[in-house]
Amino acid sequence: SPTAAARPMSQSSTARPMSRSSTAGAAQGQEPEDDQGPVPAYIKTSIALVCKDPTRRDYALKATGDYGRALLFASPDLQNDRELVQRACLNDGWTLQFASEDLQGDAELVQLAAEQDYRALRFATRAFLADREQMLEAVQRDGRALECASAELWADRALVLAALGQCGMALRVADEALRADREVVLTAVRQNGFALQYASEELRGDQEVAYAALSQSSLALPYVSEELRADRRAWLQAAPARGAFWSSREQMLEETRREPGLLPFLAEALQEDRELVLGAGAVDPDALALAPESLRADAEFMLKVAAQDVRALRHAAPEMLADRDVVLRAVENNGVGLEYASDELKGDRDVALRAVDSRGLALAYASEASRGDREVVLRAMAQQRSSIEFAVEEQRADKSIWLYNGGGPPKEDLLGYMHETLAYFETLRQPTFRITA
């Protein structure tokens, strides 16, 4: 789970369109168009075609062209077939996880998969992730790819600078020495002022660095040094063209809804105004990081803000996120709120069930026990089929879950299903899941 100050890496560039079978974007809150309701025919057909004979190359070519992840059910020889894997990765970059280890180190194939989604790099070999030239190409295309590089490359100044030019928030994984490097940090905060939170303490007190961050994003204000935060000139960097503190409630209602980062500029009496803070949170949930502690510890208020955007819960007081009744109410509204619950409540089966009933992808934040609980997994899939990606290996390897959402096959298909299942286990080793989404 992100810390109270963290926010996901983001870029200003336009995302590549998702293929129809891709569910990778769901982890960022983007739901595939086919992720609701009954299993689409093309997914069932693709998986069933490969399972009919996992050694048939023509079957696998046809199936992976429609649904890349059908590669999971192909034989080891076909998972090592370069042309087949290339076709599957072009359909869905995350299919790389089901390729052979040799192909997971194939530079051209890995770059192709990463073009679809940089997170496909998670499934590349360690050798690839430690290859400077390959990772330089990846971060120049998408700076967020730095998080997948080997730890040794996080200390490579030129490579890190290339990544930060694309995504300032990549500073989060840079080597500690680079987070104290003035040029490196300036590059990051000029791209995304919020990256100031990852700079060294000394640089957060550097006037040029702080002003550059504040000019890019007023949300950087909590991360500048206390001395600079008390300097009105720093405030004006975050709020250019505003020459005074504001005390008019009516004006501030309008101002904070347009620019939530202005919350700290309000007259003290207005900083605890619930309507003002609620309006700012509706525009940007991270504005709650700037709200007074008294509001962030108020369960009723935070639930109201979370109803607008569940990410506001990352700024709630820890004791609130350990309160079972509060968390139950939060996940009933949006199951993804489970991400911010205490570790103890993430392991509470009833809480997990409520969460996945609301949003299937909440399974990603449940405890390992819940992710291995068949009822929890099935109820998650009833909401969003792609949530199977977050189940434990035993559940993911169950063909009946992939084909029928865990239920038995239709009566008219029962005999064929039995024959396919017997043939499948006789001719194909159990698939190995190296890394899961």
Side-chain angles (χ1 to χ4, degrees), residues 33-113:
E33 60 182 357
D34 59 4
D35 198 36
Q36 303 289 335
V39 182
Y42 78 89
I43 293 181
K44 292 180 65 174
T45 301
S46 298
I47 295 176
L49 181 60
V50 176
C51 290
K52 186 175 182 180
D53 186 344
T55 66
R56 284 279 296 265
R57 189 172 187 273
D58 54 339
Y59 286 179
L61 278 170
K62 171 94 171 57
T64 56
D66 290 334
Y67 182 60
R69 299 189 196 194
L71 182 67
L72 162 66
F73 301 95
S75 68
D77 286 343
L78 292 182
Q79 290 175 345
N80 194 42
D81 184 312
R82 193 178 189 283
E83 180 186 356
L84 175 61
V85 173
Q86 182 177 20
R87 180 183 178 90
C89 287
L90 189 60
N91 177 278
D92 178 357
W94 281 42
T95 302
L96 184 65
Q97 66 185 300
F98 305 126
S100 69
E101 187 172 353
D102 285 344
L103 293 184
Q104 288 176 343
D106 184 304
E108 184 179 347
L109 274 180
V110 174
Q111 294 288 6
L112 174 68

Side-chain angles (χ1 to χ4, degrees), residues 356-423:
V356 299
D357 282 345
S358 168
R359 183 93 184 274
L361 291 179
L363 186 65
Y365 307 112
S367 67
E368 183 175 0
S370 291
R371 289 185 286 109
D373 185 310
R374 189 174 181 83
E375 182 183 357
V376 175
V377 173
L378 290 178
R379 281 166 66 166
M381 291 184 69
Q383 287 293 325
Q384 290 159 294
R385 282 187 318 283
S386 59
S387 58
I388 183 62
E389 298 284 354
F390 304 109
V392 299
E393 180 177 343
E394 180 183 358
Q395 300 295 342
R396 291 196 312 270
D398 187 332
K399 180 186 172 188
S400 68
I401 284 185
W402 285 78
L403 284 175
Y404 303 104
N405 275 13
K411 289 183 178 179
E412 62 272 19
D413 191 31
L414 183 58
L415 186 59
Y417 173 81
M418 292 172 63
H419 285 302
E420 289 173 11
T421 302
L422 288 171

